[in-house]
Amino acid sequence: MRVAILDDYQDVALRAADWSPVHATIDVFRAPLGGEDAVVAALQPYDVLVTMRDRTALPKSTLERLPNLRLIVVTGRRIAAIDIAACAGLGITVSGTAPLAEGGAAELTWALILAAVKRLPAELASVRAGGWTTRLGTTLTGRTLGVLGLGRLGSQVAAVGNAFGMRVVAWSQNLTAERAAEAGAALVGKEELFAASDVLTIHLVLSDRTRGLVGEPELRRMKPDAWLVNTSRGPICDEEALLRACRERWIAGAALDVYDREPLPADHPLRTLDNVLASPHIGYVTEETYASWYGDAVENIVAFAKGSPIRVRHS
């Protein structure tokens, strides 16, 4: 049996878990494989793939060209990049990993918010260059935090906003006033959410309904000194509209961990705008998360090799 561990950008997969129970040849791919033909060429020899979230797409057209593939181990709650229905038709088992209750994405959201409003990148760069303070930051107490999507992560973010003494407001298409109150937020309309927020943070699942939900009209409603934060999924926000909003200073700027295309191209303008904080999709990239996911991957492969697959995903 041959196993491929995909997209191990930090080169940590083999250290994050004990792989000795897996009696197979294990190869690790640290860099993105590229387009579909490159993915097929690289992965044709393998019986088992261990993926990392949605970093490598495996649509039906790719899966049909991987005749040796028998098992895919997927990590994370929602896997949009893999055609699981096609796997069933091709006789490929898909095994998942246990969901995590940790708040890595919520923690990163607040790291980005604080870095943005306290102007940390510029201040840190000034000190490193031998200088001292260069600009004024913002106090969050008394300001308005807008939460777009008040699920598990959105609620965690809202709790911290309340701890900082912020007014927390929220909106999503199915959110009720009662559910918002339980999370310490006030339900407002979509237009008010964008108009009132000093910090607007996105915590929605990407779907046909939410793709492009934040576009030019929404960004135009925001205050000129407001920040937009996205640690959810890039395509929820219209990237071209966001670029214009930051370039033309409709808003103070954006703090982002997710993008339309990942990894973000080296020449992408989001890398260079002085009012954009861009991190490389690291909300879930923690020691604890990787230890859990890769540990589960080992168990999944061993169980599959014994003929008794576990954590089988059908959707």
Side-chain angles (χ1 to χ4, degrees):
M1 184 165 63
R2 296 191 64 179
V3 177
I5 301 173
L6 306 185
D7 298 305
D8 182 16
Y9 295 167
Q10 296 84 21
D11 195 21
V12 296
L14 295 181
R15 301 195 304 273
D18 176 11
W19 291 83
S20 61
V22 178
H23 301 298
T25 300
I26 301 176
D27 295 318
V28 178
F29 293 85
R30 292 195 58 199
L33 295 175
E36 182 170 350
D37 288 343
V39 170
V40 170
L43 302 183
Q44 274 191 341
Y46 294 97
D47 307 280
V48 178
L49 303 180
V50 179
T51 66
M52 178 49 67
R53 298 288 293 269
D54 292 330
R55 290 177 177 174
T56 293
L58 295 172
K60 182 179 181 180
S61 58
T62 298
L63 295 167
E64 288 174 336
R65 298 166 66 190
L66 299 176
N68 296 315
L69 185 58
R70 297 185 289 140
L71 172 68
I72 302 175
V73 179
V74 297
T75 54
R77 289 171 177 261
R78 298 176 179 88
I79 308 299
I82 300 173
D83 190 334
I84 294 180
C87 288
L90 294 167
I92 301 168
T93 300
V94 179
S95 288
T97 51
L100 298 177
E102 55 83 30
E107 293 170 4
L108 180 70
T109 298
W110 275 104
L112 289 173
I113 292 172
L114 292 171
V117 301
K118 303 303 181 184
R119 309 288 181 167
L120 278 182
E123 296 303 299
L124 294 173
S126 176
V127 172
R128 186 178 293 275
W132 202 236
T133 183
T134 63
R135 61 193 69 193
L136 295 177
T138 299
T139 299
L140 291 174
T141 302
R143 300 272 183 164
T144 298
L145 174 69
V147 185
L148 182 60
L150 201 59
R152 180 177 60 90
L153 291 174
S155 296
Q156 291 175 350
V157 171
V160 177
N162 280 302
F164 280 139
M166 300 185 76
R167 172 181 176 244
V168 182
V169 296
W171 176 86
S172 65
Q173 290 168 320
N174 296 315
L175 183 64
T176 64
E178 293 75 18
R179 174 68 189 92
E182 290 173 3
L187 175 65
V188 296
K190 181 183 176 184
E191 291 188 4
E192 183 181 349
L193 181 80
F194 284 88
S197 297
D198 296 293
V199 176
L200 189 288
T201 180
I202 300 171
H203 300 286
L204 294 170
V205 174
L206 179 62
S207 67
D208 291 340
R209 188 170 61 176
T210 61
R211 187 179 296 272
L213 183 66
V214 180
E216 179 171 342
E218 290 74 25
L219 294 167
R220 290 280 191 186
R221 290 191 186 99
M222 293 179 69
K223 301 175 184 178
D225 60 351
W227 285 87
L228 182 134
V229 182
N230 189 1
T231 58
S232 182
R233 285 293 186 272
I236 294 171
C237 184
D238 182 328
E239 194 169 271
E240 288 302 317
L242 181 60
L243 278 167
R244 287 189 60 205
C246 292
R247 280 177 176 146
E248 299 175 15
R249 309 286 172 166
W250 309 346
I251 60 176
L256 309 171
D257 189 46
V258 291
Y259 312 92
D260 284 2
R261 181 180 170 190
E262 298 180 6
L264 194 65
D267 60 350
H268 199 287
L270 285 174
R271 290 181 179 267
T272 60
L273 293 176
D274 65 0
N275 59 344
V276 172
L277 281 68
S279 58
H281 203 158
I282 55 173
Y284 66 93
V285 180
T286 68
E287 293 179 3
E288 294 81 3
T289 298
Y290 276 32
S292 174
W293 282 351
Y294 284 127
D296 286 354
V298 169
E299 294 178 356
N300 291 349
I301 296 169
V302 171
F304 179 82
K306 292 179 178 178
S308 301
I310 58 175
R311 305 188 186 98
V312 175
R313 293 278 297 266
H314 301 287
S315 62

